[in-house]
Amino acid sequence: MSDVSGGEPGAGRAKPRLTIGQLAAYASVTVKAVRHYHRRGLLAEPPRDASGYRRYSAQHAIDLVKIKTLAAAGVPLARVEALLAADPDRFGAAIAEIDHALQERTAELLRTRERLARLRAGDRLFVSEQVGDLLDRLRELGVSRRGVQLERDQWILLQAVSPQDAATWLADKHDALGDAEFRALYLEYDTAFGWSPDDPRLAALADRARRWLADRHRGSGSGAGSVRDPAIARLVASTGETSSPAWDRLNEIAGARRSPPGSAGP
């Protein structure tokens, strides 16, 4: 029987030597992997024989199997050399440390997958789960794609610059959507995007919205859903690349309704 232990063979018999291809095949790795382990200093390179080829011993095969086993278990190659030389106690402690790092990496990968799933959700991108629920509610209500995207962009901005105001405003928005008149106003405002700025329905819509807001503020006793910093309110209100002459006209009418007699505009 051949001696593959790396010790002295039987009398008159030479030590078996392997080509790099045979070594790789025995360890079930590629020749490229063997050369990579050479470059990393993990596997010693034997000297070349008279024919100019490297010939590997049984010990090389044992070392290669150890390296492959550690790498396949998730041990970083930078740690393999130290582990191969470690005593049992140090080896066990190092493996426990590596296992903990792998658990943390697994948890991060799961979080990354969750983020990727949210990316597929479209309008939920960049907003909290609660805002995503609001956007779903608006979509179910029949709000246009344009309207939902505008809402999303406003929430992205508000949650970034004023999380406390965003939480208050979000709760108020959900509460308002429970009111049938508010839902009707919201849908009509969304539809009004494409109206002519001279459409007489704009004045009626502005009056309905003013009455609804007045009734709501009387019922709550405060300006529910307002943003404390006017600069933030103006910034959020300016969100959106798409302009609508009808919406601009609605804002003018609403400003005039709020202004005292004789004042000049909103």
Side-chain angles (χ1 to χ4, degrees), residues 134 137-138 141 172-179 182-183 186:
L134 171 66
R137 193 174 179 185
L138 294 177
L141 183 62
D172 187 64
K173 192 65 167 282
H174 273 295
D175 181 65
L177 283 170
D179 185 292
F182 179 81
R183 295 195 299 272
Y186 196 112

Side-chain angles (χ1 to χ4, degrees), residues 159-236:
Q159 287 190 313
V161 300
S162 184
Q164 185 176 348
D165 282 327
T168 301
W169 213 359
L170 182 60
D172 187 64
K173 192 65 167 282
H174 273 295
D175 181 65
L177 283 170
D179 185 292
E181 175 64 2
F182 179 81
R183 295 195 299 272
L185 284 168
Y186 196 112
L187 287 173
E188 188 169 358
Y189 185 87
D190 185 46
T191 303
F193 178 88
W195 292 355
S196 165
D198 299 322
D199 195 310
R201 291 175 294 177
L202 293 174
L205 177 57
D207 285 337
R208 282 179 63 195
R210 179 179 56 82
R211 286 194 299 271
W212 184 88
L213 284 170
D215 290 343
R216 182 169 178 79
H217 288 172
R218 277 196 299 269
S220 65
S222 66
S226 61
V227 176
R228 293 168 298 166
D229 187 338
I232 292 176
R234 288 192 295 270
L235 181 64
V236 172

Side-chain angles (χ1 to χ4, degrees), residues 49-250:
D49 62 13
S51 302
Y53 294 101
R54 299 191 187 280
R55 300 293 180 177
Y56 296 84
S57 68
Q59 188 59 51
H60 285 105
I62 292 169
D63 292 343
L64 181 56
V65 169
K66 289 180 179 179
I67 295 167
K68 174 203 167 185
T69 301
L70 291 172
V75 176
L77 290 182
R79 304 287 301 273
V80 166
E81 184 176 11
L83 285 176
L84 290 174
D87 59 42
D89 289 341
R90 288 172 53 206
F91 185 91
I95 290 297
E97 179 186 341
I98 292 168
D99 181 61
H100 178 70
L102 287 174
Q103 290 181 36
E104 291 184 339
R105 183 182 174 195
T106 299
E108 178 57 32
L109 288 172
L110 288 174
R111 289 190 290 269
T112 299
R113 290 196 65 195
E114 292 172 357
R115 290 193 288 268
L116 288 172
R118 288 196 293 270
L119 288 177
R120 291 196 298 268
D123 290 324
R124 286 181 175 265
L125 183 60
F126 304 125
V127 295
S128 68
E129 183 177 353
Q130 293 77 10
V131 170
D133 292 341
L134 171 66
L135 298 178
D136 286 344
R137 193 174 179 185
L138 294 177
R139 196 178 295 105
E140 292 168 2
L141 183 62
V143 176
S144 68
R145 175 72 174 166
R146 178 202 60 250
V148 172
Q149 288 181 333
L150 179 59
E151 276 272 353
R152 181 200 63 182
D153 291 347
Q154 289 177 333
W155 287 109
I156 289 172
L157 187 58
L158 184 58
Q159 287 190 313
V161 300
S162 184
Q164 185 176 348
D165 282 327
T168 301
W169 213 359
L170 182 60
D172 187 64
K173 192 65 167 282
H174 273 295
D175 181 65
L177 283 170
D179 185 292
E181 175 64 2
F182 179 81
R183 295 195 299 272
L185 284 168
Y186 196 112
L187 287 173
E188 188 169 358
Y189 185 87
D190 185 46
T191 303
F193 178 88
W195 292 355
S196 165
D198 299 322
D199 195 310
R201 291 175 294 177
L202 293 174
L205 177 57
D207 285 337
R208 282 179 63 195
R210 179 179 56 82
R211 286 194 299 271
W212 184 88
L213 284 170
D215 290 343
R216 182 169 178 79
H217 288 172
R218 277 196 299 269
S220 65
S222 66
S226 61
V227 176
R228 293 168 298 166
D229 187 338
I232 292 176
R234 288 192 295 270
L235 181 64
V236 172
S238 68
T239 304
E241 298 291 335
T242 306
S243 62
S244 165
W247 280 3
D248 292 341
R249 179 57 183 154
L250 266 174

